């Protein structure tokens, strides 16, 4: 993750933090391609989240833990 200013202005009082998941269990040439990147959280705030970023990541971590331990049924 990395913070960015939406409009490229240094004096702006707003920032956006995207959290992107990458799949590392696929071949090296594929895992950085756009179709294999998952935008999971988009944090928008007047200042950077700093040490409080865990508040935003906790629901994502709980969801990932559920998927890892229990899995889900899907239908094609």
């Amino acid at each position: 993750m990395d913070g960015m200013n939406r409009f490229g202005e240094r004096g702006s009082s707003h920032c956006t933090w995207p959290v992107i998941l990458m799949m590392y269990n696929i071949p090296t040439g594929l895992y950085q391609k756009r179709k294999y990147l998952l935008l999971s959280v988009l944090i928008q705030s007047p200042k950077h989240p700093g040490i409080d970023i865990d508040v935003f990541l906790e629901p994502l971590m709980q969801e990932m833990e559920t998927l890892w331990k229990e899995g889900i049924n899907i239908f094609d």
Side-chain angles (χ1 to χ4, degrees):
M1 70 193 144
D2 189 14
M4 64 181 168
N5 187 337
R6 293 187 298 175
F7 304 110
E9 300 171 5
R10 291 196 176 266
S12 177
S13 63
H14 188 84
C15 66
T16 302
W17 288 73
V19 178
I20 299 172
L21 300 178
M22 299 172 76
M23 296 179 270
Y24 284 119
N25 63 343
I26 57 178
T28 306
L30 294 177
Y31 75 87
Q32 290 185 347
K33 298 221 183 265
R34 182 181 290 192
K35 66 181 180 178
Y36 297 109
L37 298 176
L38 304 170
L39 178 64
S40 57
V41 179
L42 195 60
I43 304 168
Q44 296 183 353
S45 66
K47 60 184 177 104
H48 64 84
I51 198 159
D52 295 328
I53 199 162
D54 59 338
V55 173
F56 298 103
L57 296 180
E58 185 64 29
L60 173 64
M61 297 306 295
Q62 289 174 353
E63 181 82 14
M64 297 306 270
E65 183 178 12
T66 301
L67 291 172
W68 182 261
K69 289 182 178 177
E70 302 169 20
I72 59 171
N73 292 326
I74 59 172
F75 300 97
D76 189 10

